[in-house]
């Protein structure tokens, strides 16, 4: 709808203005229109590995055009904008270059914190400037604008503090365990309710300026309280939700500033963040309602297994021989492959196996690793053909016919307890049926648990062999064995 109104604006605006102004305005609207279309295409393309790079590029061009359109479309003085640009680039560039792939969740949290702070500050400045510029006037800002502005600062400041908390937990700067206390939910609801009430009063009586800092404070406090009960491990899901809040805040800012591109981009961001957090909740068997209200992630530590069980460990030589004799191998990558940066070695092993005519596929669990798409990105980086990457629902039926399931640094996503153990914290989480393969081989460094902190019964199964060691070293050794045996 806003894309159409951008189009409709063109002739009216052009007719109303003259000379340089007219050109500037036409340029701004055209840039916004193209940017809006590119944002939509970017989201569409980002949803499939084959087009994801194109999507990323389209998003960048769109954002570049949006910035240029905004800068040239108004008679601005540029010195402060240049200062902001330099400071922003000085913070953003090192973050992008030096933070490893495994730290992307916390990097995303920081980006949301900055974006949300910007939205809250713009809203605050807009509010106070209105009264400053109109000192002595009796007129108030219209209620619709005040409603949008209140929502903008409410969402902006709660996302700011919430994202900073999420960053602190993911980066181990704050205790990662869930922090809980009596009547926590009641307190959370009360503070959120009070923040909304303050926003409503400000909408009706915008001149009660003393209420504005209270709105900001209540929202900021709710952001902190929202994240407190969430364990560091469940944080990526909440980050997707905070992404959604930051987007909605930007969209509200678009209404307040009458900037249609901000409305479009914010709405896209808000909707995609929401969809992502719902998808992640489903894949991790969490309640979405609990995420919304900050009563999430209180996973009980699993009871320690009673009897002592033994596992069978194997060597890369033996494992390579088994794989050579196989006609189909399904590789299950997980967080350990990401930490070990083993994807290039995995590619070497994949090449060796396919050279021998073994059918090799990769089973991708929606939450393998620490963020959605984590495995796809790493495997794409190693140039594994996209058609070899198969989603969980499509590959699960193939495990019973498969000769070898090779688990590389994955743990929870292949734990059969999720299917039958009602007491397990991951009960109900959809898993990859690796245990149904004829032979399972699992690469990990020790018997330590994964993200959910629980033992994995798969390792004790009769058809499972353990390959202990760092994923990069073990897969490298497997590739070497296969290479040597091939000549
Ligand atoms: P996981 O359950 O965390 O297990 C990873 C395994 O990798 C560990 O058991 C660890 O065992 C091993 N490992 C670590 N470093 C290694 C290395 N250098 N070499 C070899 N192995 C190594 O991982 P997952 O199976 O991928 O499951 C992901 C988990 O994260 C799920 O519980 C999911 O719910 C959660 N999660 C995912 C997302 C998402 O969006 N993807 C978001 C939030 C939470 P050792 O220590 O013995 O080596």
């Amino acid at each position: 709808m806003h894309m159409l109104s951008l189009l409709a604006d063109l002739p009216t605006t052009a007719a109303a203005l003259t000379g340089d102004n007219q050109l500037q305005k036409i340029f701004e609207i055209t840039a916004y229109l193209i940017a809006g279309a590119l944002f939509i295409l970017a989201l569409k393309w980002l949803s499939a590995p084959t087009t994801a790079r194109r999507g990323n590029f389209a998003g960048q061009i769109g954002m570049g055009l949006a910035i240029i359109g905004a800068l040239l479309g108004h008679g601005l003085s540029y010195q402060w904008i240049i200062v902001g640009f330099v400071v922003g680039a000085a913070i953003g560039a090192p973050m992008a270059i030096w933070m490893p792939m495994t730290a992307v969740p916390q990097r995303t949290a920081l980006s949301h914190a900055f974006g949300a702070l910007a939205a809250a500050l713009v809203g605050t400045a807009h509010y106070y400037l209105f009264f400053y510029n109109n000192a002595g006037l009796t007129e108030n800002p219209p209620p619709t604008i005040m409603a949008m502005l209140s929502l903008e600062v409410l969402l902006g400041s709660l996302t700011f503090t919430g994202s900073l908390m999420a960053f602190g937990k993911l980066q181990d700067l704050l205790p990662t365990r869930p922090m809980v206390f009596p009547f926590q939910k009641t307190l959370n609801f009360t503070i959120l309710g009070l923040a909304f009430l303050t926003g409503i009063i400000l909408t009706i009586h915008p001149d009660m300026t003393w209420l504005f800092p209270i709105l900001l404070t209540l929202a900021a406090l709710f952001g902190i309280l929202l994240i407190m009960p969430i364990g560091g491990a469940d944080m990526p899901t909440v980050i997707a939700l905070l992404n959604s809040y930051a987007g909605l805040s930007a969209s509200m800012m678009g209404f307040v500033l009458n900037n249609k591109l901000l409305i479009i981009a914010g709405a896209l961001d808000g909707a995609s963040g929401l969809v992502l957090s719902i998808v992640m909740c489903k894949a991790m068997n969490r309640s979405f309602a609990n995420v919304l209200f900050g009563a999430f992630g209180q996973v009980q530590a699993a009871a320690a297994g009673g009897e002592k069980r033994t596992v069978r460990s194997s060597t890369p030589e033996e494992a390579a021989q088994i794989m050579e004799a196989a006609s189909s191998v399904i590789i299950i990558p997980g967080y350990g492959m990401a930490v070990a940066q083993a994807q290039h070695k995995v590619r070497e092993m994949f090449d060796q196996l396919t050279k021998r005519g073994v059918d090799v596929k990769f089973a991708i669990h929606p939450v393998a690793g620490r963020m959605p798409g984590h495995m796809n990105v790493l495997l794409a980086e190693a140039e594994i053909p996209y058609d070899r990457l198969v989603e969980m629902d499509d590959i699960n039926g193939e495990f019973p016919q498969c000769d070898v399931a090779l688990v590389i640094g994955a743990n929870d996503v292949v734990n059969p307890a999720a299917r039958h153990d009602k007491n397990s914290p991951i009960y109900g989480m959809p898993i990859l049926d690796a245990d149904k393969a004829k032979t399972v081989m699992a690469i990990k460094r020790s018997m330590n648990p994964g993200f959910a902190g629980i033992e994995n019964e798969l390792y004790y199964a009769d058809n499972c062999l353990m390959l202990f060691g760092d994923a990069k070293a073990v897969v490298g050794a497997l590739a070497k064995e296969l290479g040597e045996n091939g000549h």
Side-chain angles (χ1 to χ4, degrees):
M1 200 182 90
H2 283 285
M3 291 285 285
L4 289 178
S5 77
L6 268 174
L7 258 182
D9 278 354
L10 257 179
T12 6
T13 317
L17 298 167
T18 51
D20 283 354
N21 277 352
Q22 190 181 35
L23 262 180
Q24 274 178 351
K25 210 65 204 165
I26 291 175
F27 179 79
E28 182 192 349
I29 294 176
T30 313
Y32 281 1
L33 192 64
I34 301 172
L38 283 172
F39 289 155
I40 293 169
L41 286 172
L43 272 186
K44 183 173 163 37
W45 286 332
L46 277 169
S47 62
T50 34
T51 50
R53 274 174 213 264
R54 199 193 311 160
N56 197 341
F57 191 59
Q60 289 175 32
I61 302 276
M63 190 49 80
L65 269 177
I67 294 172
I68 296 170
L71 291 182
L72 297 186
H74 302 268
L76 297 170
S77 60
Y78 290 99
Q79 63 270 39
W80 285 110
I81 292 173
I82 292 170
V83 172
F85 183 81
V86 172
V87 173
I91 299 171
M95 265 167 58
I97 297 168
W98 286 304
M99 279 180 105
M101 271 297 288
T102 41
V104 168
Q106 48 267 54
R107 206 200 74 192
T108 315
L110 264 191
S111 311
H112 292 160
F114 292 141
L117 177 66
L121 287 179
V122 169
T124 307
H126 199 83
Y127 176 75
Y128 284 111
L129 275 176
F130 182 89
F131 287 101
Y132 179 76
N133 289 339
N134 296 298
L137 294 185
T138 48
E139 207 181 311
N140 275 330
T144 42
I145 293 296
M146 265 320 289
M148 302 290 175
L149 196 145
S150 302
L151 256 183
E152 174 192 342
V153 295
L154 192 153
L155 288 168
S157 54
L158 85 81
T159 307
F160 171 60
T161 51
S163 301
L164 280 186
M165 285 283 291
F167 170 78
K169 284 199 171 198
L170 285 166
Q171 194 63 33
D172 282 328
L173 299 174
L174 292 173
T176 50
R177 70 192 146 71
M179 292 181 246
V180 284
F181 52 83
F183 305 111
Q184 193 165 16
K185 273 192 204 172
T186 319
L187 182 73
N188 286 5
F189 273 117
T190 310
I191 292 191
L192 183 64
L194 284 176
F196 268 106
L197 187 69
T198 316
I200 293 169
I201 300 176
L202 272 169
T203 301
I204 303 164
H205 300 290
D207 49 352
M208 292 171 75
T209 46
W210 58 273
L211 272 180
F212 201 83
I214 296 180
L215 171 64
L216 280 172
T217 313
L218 285 171
L221 193 60
F222 178 73
I224 296 171
L225 290 168
L226 178 78
I227 304 302
M228 271 175 69
I230 297 166
D234 285 329
M235 210 54 77
T237 315
V238 181
I239 286 177
L241 192 72
L242 291 171
N243 174 10
S244 176
Y245 291 162
L248 289 178
S249 175
S251 199
M252 296 301 134
M253 176 159 71
F255 281 109
V256 174
L257 301 178
N258 192 20
N259 184 316
K260 296 195 173 79
L261 187 63
L262 259 180
I263 302 175
I264 296 169
L268 288 174
D269 199 10
S272 55
L274 192 70
V275 171
L276 184 60
S277 51
I278 294 174
V279 168
M280 286 170 78
C281 277
K282 267 179 100 177
M284 295 165 73
N285 193 34
R286 301 283 198 236
S287 144
F288 181 65
N290 279 353
V291 187
L292 271 181
F293 300 111
F296 179 57
Q298 294 155 35
V299 175
Q300 312 79 2
E307 83 275 34
K308 263 235 162 297
R309 294 182 288 175
T310 48
V311 296
R312 282 198 300 152
S313 87
S314 182
T315 59
E317 297 81 53
E318 191 192 352
Q321 280 165 14
I322 297 173
M323 284 205 288
E324 266 175 317
S327 58
S328 62
V329 171
I330 299 179
I331 298 177
I332 298 146
Y335 179 66
M337 185 193 79
V339 205
Q341 287 289 298
Q343 63 274 26
H344 296 285
K345 292 288 171 202
V346 171
R347 169 71 210 241
E348 282 174 29
M349 183 180 66
F350 169 81
D351 286 343
Q352 291 295 344
L353 287 169
T354 39
K355 224 164 66 183
R356 284 172 173 71
V358 182
D359 177 49
V360 186
K361 287 181 181 154
F362 291 82
I364 308 296
H365 190 282
V367 292
R370 288 294 180 269
M371 59 186 171
H374 203 168
M375 298 299 119
N376 303 65
V377 172
L378 290 175
L379 296 173
E381 185 195 315
E383 298 190 350
I384 307 266
Y386 297 129
D387 64 353
R388 298 283 94 192
L389 275 50
V390 189
E391 300 289 327
M392 177 174 66
D393 292 339
D394 298 325
I395 201 137
N396 263 347
E398 294 189 27
F399 279 106
Q401 297 90 45
C402 151
D403 295 315
V404 177
L406 177 65
V407 182
I408 308 179
N411 193 340
D412 299 338
V413 298
V414 288
N415 190 343
R419 281 200 301 257
H420 62 81
D421 182 357
K422 292 207 167 89
N423 297 319
S424 170
I426 61 165
Y427 177 68
M429 168 173 159
I431 57 155
L432 288 162
D433 295 336
D435 56 322
K436 295 189 177 160
K438 288 176 195 132
T439 305
V440 183
M441 300 197 277
I443 303 175
K444 68 199 296 290
R445 297 162 306 173
S446 63
M447 287 307 288
N448 285 344
F451 168 90
I454 50 168
E455 240 185 21
N456 190 342
E457 60 185 58
L458 172 71
Y459 305 143
Y460 303 97
D462 291 340
N463 62 342
C464 184
L465 292 173
M466 299 302 293
L467 290 165
F468 287 113
D470 174 73
K472 193 172 179 178
V474 176
V475 178
L478 282 173
K480 195 158 161 263
E481 283 295 326
L482 288 165
E484 282 168 6
N485 297 354
H487 294 291

